[in-house]
Amino acid sequence: MTPQKKAISGLYAVTPDTADTALLESMTAAAIRGGAGIVQYRNKTASPALRREQARVLLDCCNQSGAILLINDHVDLAAEIDAHGAHIGGDDGSLKDARNRLGNHKLIGVSCYKELTRAQAAVEGGADYIAFGSFYASSVKPAAVRAPLSLLTSARAFGVPVV
């Protein structure tokens, strides 16, 4: 029997860069208690070993509470720990390769930045959700291209969840 893919809905939390695994777990558990149903593990500064350790801890945290854990950028890590899926950006490999690696029962989201044509290609390629932004200034991505909020309304026409 093939496992069922979980549904994307509700509050979508993205983790901060931190080397403190206990703090990250505590913050993630608090976000889930506060209503987050989806957690994207994103740590751009972690070593591969730390990333693996943190991802496993967060997967356990999410599984205990019924939340979804998505691994940002690292499809191989998502497959290794059997996370619920992955989120890929413009430099993270192809959607087709991610789907081949993870299978149809895992969630895959694609960053579309401010590009509806990228979103259309992602949906046609089998993405489970599409993500846009940044919409506001961010200390994490200060040079990120800004997307207009109206883009979110337009993106709903693709028929998949919009993040």
Side-chain angles (χ1 to χ4, degrees):
M1 183 174 145
T2 302
Q4 288 294 321
K5 193 182 295 188
K6 294 188 173 200
I8 290 284
S9 66
L11 184 61
Y12 185 119
V14 179
T15 64
D17 292 346
T18 181
D20 187 334
T21 302
L23 175 62
L24 182 63
E25 180 181 22
S26 174
M27 292 168 64
T28 299
I32 293 168
R33 283 192 309 275
I38 304 121
V39 175
Q40 182 190 123
Y41 172 57
R42 179 186 186 278
N43 191 336
K44 299 286 190 176
T45 62
S47 68
L50 179 59
R51 193 177 298 118
R52 188 174 297 107
E53 171 194 326
Q54 290 182 338
R56 285 186 172 131
V57 165
L58 295 185
L59 180 60
D60 186 50
C61 180
C62 288
N63 282 338
Q64 288 180 26
S65 61
I68 294 169
L69 178 67
L70 303 173
I71 306 297
N72 183 46
D73 296 344
H74 300 280
V75 173
D76 286 343
L77 177 58
E80 177 186 332
I81 70 163
D82 198 25
H84 304 114
H87 181 89
I88 57 176
D91 299 324
D92 300 330
S94 74
L95 174 57
K96 181 179 179 182
D97 289 345
R99 183 60 72 202
N100 287 339
R101 181 77 172 103
L102 295 177
N104 290 328
H105 63 287
K106 298 292 184 175
L107 291 164
I108 300 177
V110 176
S111 289
C112 300
Y113 310 103
K114 65 174 191 172
E115 303 169 31
L116 288 174
T117 55
R118 183 174 172 81
Q120 182 174 359
V123 171
E124 290 172 358
D128 296 298
Y129 72 90
I130 48 180
F132 295 92
S134 106
F135 296 100
Y136 303 100
S138 167
S139 61
V140 177
K141 289 186 173 184
V145 175
R146 292 281 162 49
L149 285 172
S150 61
L151 187 69
L152 297 173
T153 302
S154 300
R156 292 185 64 178
F158 291 114
V160 298
V162 176
V163 175

